[in-house]
Amino acid sequence: MLNECQVRSRVISIHPDETRGVFHRPARRPIAARGLTSTVAAGTFPLPASRHFAAFVNAMNLKRRIAKRLERLVGSAEPAPGRTTARDPEVRGAIDVLHEGAICGWISDRSHRAVDSIDCTIDGGHAGSQSNFHFREDLKDLGYGDGVLGFRVPIARPLRGQRHTVRIHAFAEGRKLGALTREMHLGQHPVASANPFLRLSNEKVPDGWAMLPDRRRALKVTREHGADLPGALSRYVRLISDLERDGAVGLSQRIRVDPANDHTVVVVARSLTGNAIRVRTSQANGSSPSHEEIPLGGAWSVLRIPYRTVAPEADVQLTICGAGHAVVDLACLAVVPEPPERAAIPLGEADEVPEHQREPDPANTYTPTTWDRGARFAGPRRGSELASGWFFECTRGQESSFEAARAPEGMAVRHDLSTGYSRIAVKCERNALLGHESIGIAFDITAASERGRRVFISIIGRNDDQSVALIQRAVVLPISGRAEITANLSRGESAALRTNASRFASLEIALELHAPYALEIHALRLFGAESLAEPGSVEMELGDDGFEDPIVAAQAPSLLSTRAVPAVAAALHRIDVVVPVFNAAADVDRMLSSLVEANDGSYRVLVVDDASGPRTARILDRAASRERWVRLARHDDNRGYTASINHGVSLSGAPMVVILNSDTVVPHGWHHRLLCAFEAHPRTGIVGPLSNAASWQSLPHRFSAAGDWLVNDIPGNLDVHAFQRWLERSWLPRRPLVPLLNGFCMAYRREVFQDVGTFDEDAFPVGYGEENDICLRAAAKGWELRVADDLYVYHAKSRSFQGRRAELTAAGNERLREKHAAADWPSIIDALRHHPDLKAIRDHVAHAFLEGSE
Amino acid sequence: MKLAFLLPARAGGGGVHSVVQEAAELSSLGVDVWILVPEKHSLSYRTEYATSLTRRLAIVPYAKEAEIAPAIAEADVAIATIFTSVRILAEALEALERAGGGSSHRPRPAYYIQDYEPLFVEPGTPSWNEARDSYCRIPGALLFAKTRWLCDMVSHHHGLRVEKVEPSLDHDVFYPDLSFSPGERLVVTAMIRPATPRRAPRRTARILNWLAAEHAQRVAVHSFGCPRTELPEHGIELHPKIAHHGHLRREQVAELLRRSTYFLDLSDYQAFGRTGLEAMACGCIPIMPEIGGASEFIRDGINGFLVDVRDEQSIRRTLVGALQLPAGERAALLRAALCASNGYSTRRAALSEIQVLMPRPRVVDPLAKEPARSST
């Protein structure tokens, strides 16, 4: 009596020739040994139940297990298009690569357990054998047993011709299980990979790296955790290749190095396929190439390759050696300066030879180099164990910006959040702290921070429901490089710690850091510090960056800049006002009065008296003697306006220099308005205000009925201060960009003079064109010219040369056009004439004062 | 006089309380005050300030920002109180302008600057831009602030005139208990607000931990400001000898300060430092950051201490010095602190605000100089 069990053929398909009478199982549990001798055909089980019921039940259980497993596997393992490997129903696998040295691929029986050796034939002749298999993670990922199914058979004889038939015979305990067959072209790979699970992609090449040209079809780059590769802080990147050529695939990167130091190329890598990697470094100019081939095992290795620096740029290439399927995980490829001598943070005079720099006591040294529970860096959460005994904590909600990775000697951590906080805590033996009268704590780290940052070392006691800080110390990270940062507890603190420690189930030593930071942690060491001076604090002197809130720290200059306002101290000399004077005593007196009234200590005035008459000279002398911030320089003979302002500029060292005519009146706060324009627009080089008489910057009108430049009254019959107040409260500044500015009051960023030089005394000895000349020169260098349309400075206009103004203007214009013959004057004039923002402010004033609507 | 304060925040915070307290005083002086609050927060205001609300002090809830324009239309002055409310106020004023109508009455815009708020947000972000631009967002707005430091900050960075008003202090809640004797152990109290980094919670905790560990014989350490469970969430652990009181109401804070010798505020900066002033009124000597506006009421070494919070060694030195003060000198500091706090009141604050907010004569100033005339 036969029972027929219908079984889905896709689940079990066993080759009748190869498997008759034997239901293949792993060698450890052969079905034949249990008496199962029935013929097993595809899809049916003819089995006499009365005689072999037990065997039948066993077989059914086995079938169910296999069916379950294969159902999971086969669905995602459809053959790749164009695949030519002949499939044996009992064994499955693929012959991926044939080349002049090896045949690569994978092979398995249905249970992924039985195949223990393979024979390889090419065109019917024996080509090689192999009895050990390598791990392929892609197969394991797909559920093919433990993934140890890959083969790479060296070919013992030379191949002739291009087309070959390759057959791989699988054996279990000397018994042949089946075979794979494939027609292959030597040296011609039909597709980039015969591995159906390998999707070629270069999408995940780490930032800063390039795949080597013409080889990207054969390299799959996966980033296990999405981190960047450069530097020592990345997580690992997986490179998978399936090429026939040795050294065919890899990554390259151009890096900058300090030519003053020699460097070390640090590679942290492993290979799951037993491949070697080749690290090739060369100077960017092509000189001094070097390469090193390094065999890799399945465990992570730290490799250090000396690199002699010649040029400031270097090319680093990493390629995978060996043909066939290769999997290389790369955790770090960095070029670092030769490791400096390990140095402790200086502790002061008493600590020139610190006790803790003696041989470390291994019992009290904790290193983040073991991962008993596996390294799991992906998405650390609060409380995650980064390495055995090393834990991560942070403010709730900030976990996503924290990253950790294995580093050459320990663990690399990075927290990118601009305002975050986190803690790396090490669970310590409570008794470790108890053996010394004074206790020292040292973290061996390599800091990647650009400047010294303050961190905290804490000793925390923990019970299930309680955690308390027992002692905390602030220390400063080294600027860069490797160093020990230490905290030394006083005898009193150590005694208190011993007392408190007994109350807690465990003790943790924590390194607390404010983000952003990046560092490698190599070890924590506890040591006796009896010889250290009391009280043992290692807190360093801090500069202006000692704010806790990073947002405040980022704006510290703003916060601190007003500490001296309105006091003179810090703000003094921030602005220099250069005033060239030649007679016009009444104007000069009024101008100086307004400068005195408006000065809150922010500026000093450099008056250049160009041989004025005695009345003006007396006024200047009086001002200079009354106000210590008024400096007076005097010419014995009249050198001219331009020479005077150049003299004034040469006396100034301030970052902002204002050239102010002597026939002006400035309102309160005028200099702040000019400063605001510079601060709001960093590329601004020159700023000028609005005025009653400043050509294109005039308010409310520019031209008289006769077409001359107009000297307006102050609108509304206000004084300059009242009009300025009205302007401040009624107009939101736009600070329009203009091609030229009027020279009666111009504020210059000092860099403009450094960039384009000072005023041209030769071409414009008495002025009238010198300001346009410097405007054009500054604009040509990329500086912006803006009108401070929230500032109004009164200008009496041309008192010094009242009678000769037209003549001087014409002469200046002529020289200007000669000097800047290439300038597009019609466009410049048109831009000024029709400037929409200048028109808007004129309309605003006209609307308020001329149409009676305030 | 009718004032409309725009206060888009929940009741209970220090800044909000400051505004409501001064608004209540203004109303007691005959000024009609409306406080516009989001509808979702209005209940918290009615509950928290139930006893303050009068015929002249009204909480006006708004569900949408569009409702603000009609609500402030009749006010003489509409006052923003935080940078986010400046935009709301500007839009309300623009809406009123668009609506036009026959009435020429428009509320005068004002901004009661509580802090230099670009320091609250990360530079370069849209919020930071909004905070920075808030001071000039409304052309012609009247700006006023309660410390000279704040006025200077805004003037310095934005070139704007900021009127100075007086800070307020509620002596009904914050008063001393001169019968209290601290005994042999002095008491140091500090506020820890873990969620506000500029209040430097970690620095404060470090100093308190150090005090508790090193000077436990001489000093009892107290803290308040947040639930205890909030501390470890921000990575802050306190020494077991520190008594943490969690979140306290104003009256409870006052009671704790009355029992304290020193109040410690180690914020990165303090635009004003209200709790420090309240501590002085309770007979507690404040130790405050020197950066900011606290120097307006604290004279270092006379009625309190100012410290450079960036230098923890100097903080520790200051604390050790304060703890070692002879009792007589400490009593002198305490008396000076009480005297200084006596100069501040809600009445004084309200009157100074009226002074600033009262309508002024129109532009022409009789004392102004003779107009400058130009000659062509």
Side-chain angles (χ1 to χ4, degrees), chain A residues 79-147:
Chain A
R83 185 184 182 85
T84 56
T85 305
R87 291 187 123 200
D88 188 298
E90 177 56 18
V91 295
R92 55 172 64 228
I95 305 170
D96 293 334
V97 181
L98 166 67
H99 74 114
E100 293 271 17
I103 299 167
C104 306
W106 67 278
I107 191 164
S108 170
D109 71 315
R110 295 293 163 188
S111 62
H112 318 301
R113 293 178 184 177
V115 177
D116 54 17
S117 65
I118 56 172
D119 261 1
C120 172
T121 62
I122 299 177
D123 303 328
H126 182 74
S129 302
Q130 182 178 305
S131 57
N132 47 14
F133 297 84
H134 62 249
F135 173 72
R136 280 183 48 167
E137 187 148 317
D138 57 331
L139 301 173
K140 181 171 184 286
D141 288 347
L142 288 161
Y144 280 52
D146 54 9

Side-chain angles (χ1 to χ4, degrees), chain A residues 266-299:
Chain A
V266 180
V267 181
V268 181
R270 66 178 178 180
S271 173
L272 304 179
T273 46
N275 289 71
I277 55 169
R278 183 175 296 132
V279 179
R280 184 177 187 276
T281 55
S282 61
Q283 312 294 335
N285 57 13
S287 65
S288 307
S290 68
H291 68 268
E292 192 145 337
E293 191 168 315
I294 307 154
L296 294 175

Side-chain angles (χ1 to χ4, degrees), chain A residues 430-439 459 470-471 489-504 507 530:
Chain A
R430 193 179 61 182
N431 293 337
L433 298 174
L434 306 184
H436 303 285
E437 191 176 345
S438 292
I439 298 164
I459 303 174
L470 300 173
I471 289 170
L489 311 186
S490 66
R491 288 187 178 83
E493 285 174 322
S494 301
L497 189 60
R498 282 193 292 272
T499 307
N500 281 313
S502 61
R503 296 171 36 228
F504 295 101
L507 281 177
E530 282 79 0

Side-chain angles (χ1 to χ4, degrees), chain B residues 15-78:
Chain B
V16 167
H17 184 77
S18 191
V19 172
V20 176
Q21 178 178 284
E22 288 155 28
E25 190 66 29
L26 284 165
S27 72
S28 74
L29 297 175
V31 178
D32 289 322
V33 184
W34 309 320
I35 301 177
L36 279 74
V37 301
E39 194 170 64
K40 60 184 176 184
H41 298 326
S42 64
L43 184 62
S44 68
Y45 280 84
R46 292 182 200 287
T47 310
E48 186 87 7
Y49 304 110
T51 56
S52 302
L53 301 182
T54 63
R55 186 174 61 81
R56 290 193 180 278
L57 176 62
I59 299 294
V60 180
Y62 61 88
K64 294 180 293 185
E65 290 176 6
E67 296 172 12
I68 292 173
I72 64 171
E74 296 303 316
D76 294 310
V77 189

Side-chain angles (χ1 to χ4, degrees), chain A residues 582 609-612 634-640 644:
Chain A
F582 178 61
D609 180 8
D610 198 18
S612 298
R634 183 160 276 152
H635 295 166
D636 294 332
D637 53 344
N638 186 269
R639 298 184 197 172
S644 297

Side-chain angles (χ1 to χ4, degrees), chain A residues 129-318:
Chain A
S129 302
Q130 182 178 305
S131 57
N132 47 14
F133 297 84
H134 62 249
F135 173 72
R136 280 183 48 167
E137 187 148 317
D138 57 331
L139 301 173
K140 181 171 184 286
D141 288 347
L142 288 161
Y144 280 52
D146 54 9
V148 186
L149 304 169
F151 62 81
R152 185 165 184 272
V153 183
I155 302 171
R157 63 183 174 88
L159 300 175
R160 297 179 188 281
Q162 288 294 306
R163 191 175 179 84
H164 303 279
T165 302
V166 180
R167 183 177 288 245
I168 305 291
H169 303 273
F171 295 89
E173 295 184 325
R175 186 164 34 81
K176 188 175 177 185
L177 296 180
L180 302 173
T181 306
R182 185 174 178 188
E183 294 290 320
M184 303 187 78
H185 289 260
L186 183 65
Q188 279 186 345
H189 212 285
V191 291
S193 167
N195 178 356
F197 318 122
L198 179 62
R199 284 190 296 275
L200 301 180
S201 166
N202 63 354
E203 291 173 0
K204 294 182 177 176
V205 172
D207 294 342
W209 289 82
M211 297 177 75
L212 292 173
D214 303 327
R215 292 160 188 175
R216 57 189 60 190
R217 69 193 179 98
L219 181 65
K220 175 188 179 187
V221 181
T222 61
R223 281 195 280 176
E224 291 295 307
H225 305 299
D228 294 337
L229 181 61
L233 299 172
S234 59
R235 294 168 187 163
Y236 70 86
V237 175
R238 172 156 297 170
L239 314 173
I240 303 171
S241 79
D242 258 304
L243 262 194
E244 68 276 19
R245 283 187 293 128
D246 179 48
V249 297
L251 300 173
S252 72
Q253 186 188 191
R254 174 161 291 191
I255 56 159
R256 295 193 68 82
V257 293
D258 178 5
N261 295 320
D262 281 342
H263 291 73
T264 302
V265 180
V266 180
V267 181
V268 181
R270 66 178 178 180
S271 173
L272 304 179
T273 46
N275 289 71
I277 55 169
R278 183 175 296 132
V279 179
R280 184 177 187 276
T281 55
S282 61
Q283 312 294 335
N285 57 13
S287 65
S288 307
S290 68
H291 68 268
E292 192 145 337
E293 191 168 315
I294 307 154
L296 294 175
W300 290 99
S301 307
V302 180
L303 317 164
R304 292 180 180 276
I305 307 158
Y307 171 67
R308 188 161 189 79
T309 311
V310 176
E313 287 191 331
D315 291 319
V316 180
Q317 282 187 0
L318 183 141

Side-chain angles (χ1 to χ4, degrees), chain A residues 382 394-396 418 421 423 454 456 460 462 467-470 472-473 490 493 500 503 512 514 537 539 541-544 546-549 551-552 554-555 558-563 565-566 574 590 597 672-673 676 679 692 711-714 717-719 721-722 725 728-732 794-796 799 802 854, chain B residues 108 116 118-123 128 136-142 149 152-153 155-161 163 197-198 200-206 209-210 213-214 232-240 268-269 290-291 308-313 316 360 362-365 368-376:
Chain A
R382 296 171 70 222
C394 72
T395 304
R396 189 163 53 186
S418 61
Y421 159 84
R423 167 193 287 171
R454 191 160 52 161
F456 296 92
I460 302 162
R462 284 202 191 280
S467 69
V468 297
L470 300 173
Q472 288 177 308
R473 282 280 185 274
S490 66
E493 285 174 322
N500 281 313
R503 296 171 36 228
E512 305 192 357
H514 288 285
S537 167
E539 184 146 7
E541 289 298 319
L542 296 173
D544 281 352
F547 294 108
E548 178 167 330
D549 185 354
I551 291 174
V552 173
Q555 301 179 74
S558 296
L559 177 65
L560 300 175
S561 63
T562 56
R563 296 175 77 188
V565 173
R574 206 176 160 209
R590 187 167 58 170
E597 278 185 35
H672 291 300
R673 297 283 161 189
C676 281
E679 288 177 2
N692 62 308
V711 180
N712 294 277
D713 291 336
I714 300 178
N717 277 341
L718 303 178
D719 71 1
H721 308 290
R725 282 200 296 275
E728 283 178 20
R729 296 194 173 182
S730 66
W731 181 252
L732 197 61
Y794 176 75
H795 184 205
R799 289 296 174 93
Q802 186 81 43
E854 207 252 340
Chain B
R108 185 182 183 199
Y116 188 65
L119 294 170
F120 288 13
V121 279
E122 194 171 344
W128 186 81
C136 52
R137 174 71 173 81
I138 306 174
L142 171 70
W149 180 84
D152 289 343
M153 277 295 275
S155 293
H156 182 77
H157 292 295
H158 306 272
L160 297 167
R161 183 190 303 272
E163 305 289 348
R198 66 178 177 279
R202 273 176 255 287
R203 177 190 298 131
T204 308
R206 277 195 304 276
N209 284 339
W210 165 78
E214 294 278 304
E233 286 184 3
H234 290 83
I236 294 172
E237 270 120 14
L238 293 178
H239 195 278
D268 280 346
Y269 75 98
E290 67 175 10
I291 300 172
D308 183 349
V309 293
R310 296 166 296 166
D311 181 356
E312 290 192 20
Q313 295 289 31
R316 293 180 189 193
R360 291 178 173 180
R362 285 169 68 86
V363 176
V364 178
D365 181 352
K369 289 182 182 178
E370 183 182 341
R373 299 279 180 176
S374 61
S375 56
T376 54

